[in-house]
Amino acid sequence: FATATQDEESMSQSKTPVDPEEFAKEFEALGPAEMARKYSVDIRNVHMKRKRVENLLGTILHVPAHLDSRNRPRESFRRNLEVTDGVIMVGSDCHYEPNTVTTAHLAFVQIAKKLKPKVIVLDGDLIDGSSIGRHPMNDWEDRPSVEQELSTAQKRLQEIQKASPKSDRYWLIGNHDQRFNSYLANNANQFGGVVGFDLKDHFKEWVFGMSLWVSGAERAIVIKHRIAGGVHAAYNNTLKTGTHIVTGHTHSQQVYSWSDYTGHRYGVQCGTMANPHQPTFDYAEDGPKNWVSGFVVLTIKDGFLLSPEFVKVHHAGEYEWRGQIWQVEE
């Protein structure tokens, strides 16, 4: 058996470049996954030969920088955009569920169609990732599969894109979104770089990042999924960052207005685009939640950020915005 395995390995390895220096040059140009595809061998064989070549040459072979998550350019973490006049719509914590469309999402689409914002930001946790999370099952709950969550998010995002096709679109990664890449990185690390094994591969129309820094107003507006938590998150975030800061994560909706020697700034909590009582949140055991279903609209006028406007769901099918109650369009 051992001999057969060695022969099989030798045959597979012979398909890749025999000369160590030639192999090293190609490995550092293509990466292990692309070499495996090119020579029709298992990626494990590529890595085994990599080790032998490293020993022969007395050096370390590196994965191409664009495939190595350790060498990701910083712009993939921090995105930058300038807006001196225009509207930015920010929705967060969608936790999209299959076969369900929330009032907040319908309101977001409706207002995007009306305002045609310059920028649309979805501030993390669009998917829940319950089937790949670390939390155990609650009874015999029927958790959606990864495929179901992805296809649902794709439908919802297409609706937003259709409502305002010329808007710049950003998806800022939340802790639940991270479950997708983290699960694969920890359980199938050999597939790094393969198309489809990164969440952003499934949403080509959106720019991904950890934060969005908007310049053009009297001071920067920073949008990211989370910093501080708890009931004082809006206060702590703006106090610590020293700038306008918009976050999600807590599912609460609030704004804290802060002034000091440097001027005036806002700390904003977006709320959640989900329904606080949907099955996703059954882990709360029907306890009270200080959550609000809705989102925020930011308007920059002549380089000045106006007071943030909240959109807040009152009942199924209706929401509050700009002093009126509106009905959603199905």
Side-chain angles (χ1 to χ4, degrees), residues 192-209:
V194 177
V195 176
F197 280 72
D198 194 313
L199 182 62
K200 64 177 179 289
D201 294 338
H202 302 272
F203 300 90
K204 297 290 189 180
E205 301 297 321
W206 293 76
V207 177
F208 279 69

Side-chain angles (χ1 to χ4, degrees), residues 175-236:
N175 53 298
H176 281 261
D177 302 323
Q178 286 179 315
R179 290 178 175 180
F180 184 94
N181 283 15
S182 294
Y183 183 89
L184 292 172
N186 284 286
N187 292 281
N189 184 257
Q190 300 89 340
F191 289 85
V194 177
V195 176
F197 280 72
D198 194 313
L199 182 62
K200 64 177 179 289
D201 294 338
H202 302 272
F203 300 90
K204 297 290 189 180
E205 301 297 321
W206 293 76
V207 177
F208 279 69
M210 279 293 178
S211 64
L212 175 63
W213 288 60
V214 182
S215 60
E218 79 285 1
R219 65 174 67 212
I221 303 169
V222 178
I223 308 172
K224 69 188 305 293
H225 181 64
R226 60 177 176 172
I227 301 180
V231 296
H232 302 298
Y235 164 77
N236 286 324

Side-chain angles (χ1 to χ4, degrees), residues 31-326:
E34 187 59 35
M35 283 194 75
R37 282 193 291 269
K38 179 178 179 179
Y39 293 103
S40 300
V41 299
D42 193 292
I43 194 170
R44 290 175 299 177
N45 297 111
V46 176
H47 282 295
M48 290 172 67
K49 186 163 185 178
R50 170 194 186 178
K51 292 180 180 178
R52 285 199 290 271
V53 169
E54 287 177 336
N55 290 332
L56 286 171
L57 299 180
T59 187
I60 300 296
L61 301 186
H62 297 282
V63 174
H66 70 284
L67 298 179
D68 189 348
S69 60
R70 296 167 298 180
N71 295 320
R72 279 182 295 185
R74 296 305 299 175
E75 59 264 27
S76 68
F77 280 76
R78 179 183 292 187
R79 300 294 181 176
N80 294 279
L81 183 69
E82 182 174 350
V83 180
T84 55
D85 280 279
V87 172
I88 304 174
M89 291 180 59
V90 187
S92 188
D93 297 87
C94 302
H95 295 272
Y96 286 126
E97 284 194 336
N99 305 312
T100 302
V101 185
T102 65
T103 298
H105 173 81
L106 292 172
F108 196 93
V109 170
Q110 189 168 314
I111 293 177
K113 189 182 299 183
K114 179 181 179 65
L115 296 182
K116 300 296 182 186
K118 181 173 180 57
V119 187
I120 290 176
V121 181
L122 296 178
D123 197 17
D125 287 0
L126 276 69
I127 63 172
D128 188 74
S130 58
S131 65
I132 51 176
R134 60 185 175 83
H135 298 292
M137 296 282 284
N138 295 318
D139 286 331
W140 306 104
E141 62 180 317
D142 184 18
R143 293 183 175 181
S145 66
V146 173
E147 188 280 328
Q148 288 175 316
E149 290 200 44
L150 288 180
S151 61
T152 299
Q154 287 165 346
K155 290 177 184 176
R156 301 289 84 85
L157 267 58
Q158 286 168 6
E159 292 162 359
I160 294 173
Q161 292 165 213
K162 184 178 178 181
S164 187
K166 295 184 179 180
S167 299
D168 294 332
R169 295 182 290 269
Y170 292 88
W171 178 335
L172 306 179
I173 294 295
N175 53 298
H176 281 261
D177 302 323
Q178 286 179 315
R179 290 178 175 180
F180 184 94
N181 283 15
S182 294
Y183 183 89
L184 292 172
N186 284 286
N187 292 281
N189 184 257
Q190 300 89 340
F191 289 85
V194 177
V195 176
F197 280 72
D198 194 313
L199 182 62
K200 64 177 179 289
D201 294 338
H202 302 272
F203 300 90
K204 297 290 189 180
E205 301 297 321
W206 293 76
V207 177
F208 279 69
M210 279 293 178
S211 64
L212 175 63
W213 288 60
V214 182
S215 60
E218 79 285 1
R219 65 174 67 212
I221 303 169
V222 178
I223 308 172
K224 69 188 305 293
H225 181 64
R226 60 177 176 172
I227 301 180
V231 296
H232 302 298
Y235 164 77
N236 286 324
N237 288 343
T238 193
L239 187 66
K240 293 176 180 178
T241 60
T243 192
H244 299 303
I245 178 74
V246 182
T247 56
H249 187 61
T250 64
H251 298 190
S252 64
Q253 194 178 71
Q254 56 180 293
V255 59
Y256 196 94
S257 180
W258 180 266
S259 294
D260 56 24
Y261 290 138
T262 67
H264 184 81
R265 58 187 185 267
Y266 295 108
V268 181
Q269 292 275 282
C270 293
T272 173
M273 293 265 281
N275 178 343
H277 305 291
Q278 66 189 43
T280 305
F281 308 124
D282 282 353
Y283 62 81
E285 300 176 352
D286 198 29
K289 306 181 185 76
N290 183 28
W291 299 356
V292 173
S293 187
F295 50 92
V296 67
V297 177
L298 306 176
T299 301
I300 301 174
K301 183 70 173 176
D302 297 328
F304 189 85
L305 176 62
L306 304 183
S307 298
E309 299 178 272
F310 284 127
V311 177
K312 180 179 181 180
V313 173
H314 278 210
H315 303 289
E318 65 178 38
Y319 61 93
E320 172 191 338
W321 180 47
R322 292 184 174 175
Q324 297 185 50
I325 302 297
W326 304 77

